[in-house]
Amino acid sequence: MPLRDTKGSPMDEGAAAGGLRNRMVDEQLAGRGVRDEDVLNAFRRVPRHRFCLPETPLRQAYADHPLPIGHGQTISQPLMVAEMTVALGLKRGHRVLEIGTGSGYQAAILAMLAGTVETVERIAALAETAGSLFRELGLTTINSHIHDGTLGWAASAPYDAIVVTAASPEIPPPLLDQLGDGGRLAIPVGSRGLQELIIAERHGPDIVYRHAGGCRFVPLLGQFGWPD
Ligand code: SAH
């Protein structure tokens, strides 16, 4: 998936962003055990600073923590985005569903590694900003939807991978229904303040669950999440 800016010239906004991005990958990801070369390359290519609020200093955009994206929401720490992405085991043709578009950064990373990405966001303003950035960057394999993502996105199911980037009290049943055979779902499950990353994998009618460590996400609000 090629990335471009509006003028069609290479995406990179100069050496500064590229340098910070490579350092982020080397120190925060590879340096902390992310081994998947394709995933590391995806993080080298996607300009994280473009997904941050315009006033965010460039250095902060590549720092080792989550960042505010407006509307009380956040873009996750790079390492968390990487760990969730690795857990999905993405392949080129995979059909992916993301719940919680937010800034669109995770969706852009997914688009580098898989086939089509359906991404669902409940806050229209966030979905619209992310959607225009996808168009600007030439990320044509991402389809963005404004919807309650706890219901999934049935129109394009089944999926090879589903990632939920907001925290839920339980796994929304529609997401398991929309997971294809051999497909994986990554979702933070727990209380509003603290969760555990759960990786669910479908084997025919059976679902196998793996616990992948503690995490903190903003709440998933909706029919099968926290009350709105
Ligand atoms: N993946 C994002 C992180 C977004 S934070 C990124 O890379 O920037 C989580 C997002 O989930 C927020 O934007 C929030 O509005 C959204 N969200 C919460 N509940 C939702 C629901 N039921 N359906 C869709 N999106 C939801």
Side-chain angles (χ1 to χ4, degrees):
M1 157 81 20
L3 278 167
R4 61 169 169 75
D5 70 9
T6 39
K7 298 169 207 75
S9 56
M11 247 323 296
D12 230 330
E13 291 186 5
L20 286 168
R21 192 149 62 243
N22 280 329
R23 223 167 84 191
M24 171 191 86
V25 171
D26 294 341
E27 292 174 7
Q28 300 173 37
L29 308 183
R32 293 217 200 98
V34 179
R35 297 271 171 266
D36 188 317
E37 280 300 324
D38 293 336
V39 171
L40 294 174
N41 280 331
F43 280 83
R44 288 190 203 281
R45 292 178 64 201
V46 176
R48 181 170 163 98
H49 62 287
R50 297 297 309 276
F51 294 84
C52 298
L53 292 173
E55 62 269 25
T56 310
L58 196 55
R59 193 164 289 282
Q60 283 299 311
Y62 291 97
D64 187 20
H65 50 67
L67 285 165
I69 54 171
H71 304 271
Q73 308 303 323
T74 54
I75 177 173
S76 302
Q77 177 193 21
L79 182 62
M80 181 48 67
V81 180
E83 285 176 345
M84 289 182 105
T85 305
V86 169
L88 296 174
L90 297 175
K91 300 211 162 59
R92 286 277 162 224
H94 273 178
R95 298 153 63 91
V96 183
L97 171 65
E98 179 196 31
I99 308 303
T101 311
S103 69
Y105 179 67
Q106 169 95 63
I109 295 286
L110 299 171
M112 296 295 117
L113 296 158
T116 51
V117 178
E118 306 300 320
T119 183
V120 181
E121 170 60 53
R122 63 182 282 279
I123 299 176
L126 288 175
E128 280 155 15
T129 304
S132 39
L133 189 53
F134 298 149
R135 281 191 292 281
E136 197 188 318
L137 299 181
L139 292 166
T140 53
T141 56
I142 307 176
N143 303 309
S144 128
H145 311 280
I146 301 164
H147 190 64
D148 175 4
T150 69
L151 304 170
W153 188 255
S156 306
Y159 298 99
D160 300 297
I162 302 178
V163 58
V164 184
T165 62
S168 190
E170 58 167 43
I171 302 182
L175 300 184
L176 290 175
D177 294 343
Q178 292 171 26
L179 193 61
D181 197 14
R184 288 189 197 163
L185 161 70
I187 179 169
V189 177
S191 68
R192 278 184 89 121
L194 191 66
Q195 307 92 34
E196 191 162 18
L197 183 61
I198 304 289
I199 314 297
E201 189 168 329
R202 177 178 288 287
H203 299 275
D206 301 323
I207 309 278
V208 175
Y209 298 91
R210 184 162 68 78
H211 292 247
C215 52
R216 275 193 81 161
F217 280 81
V218 296
L220 182 74
L221 303 176
Q223 190 175 329
F224 295 100
W226 296 99
D228 215 327

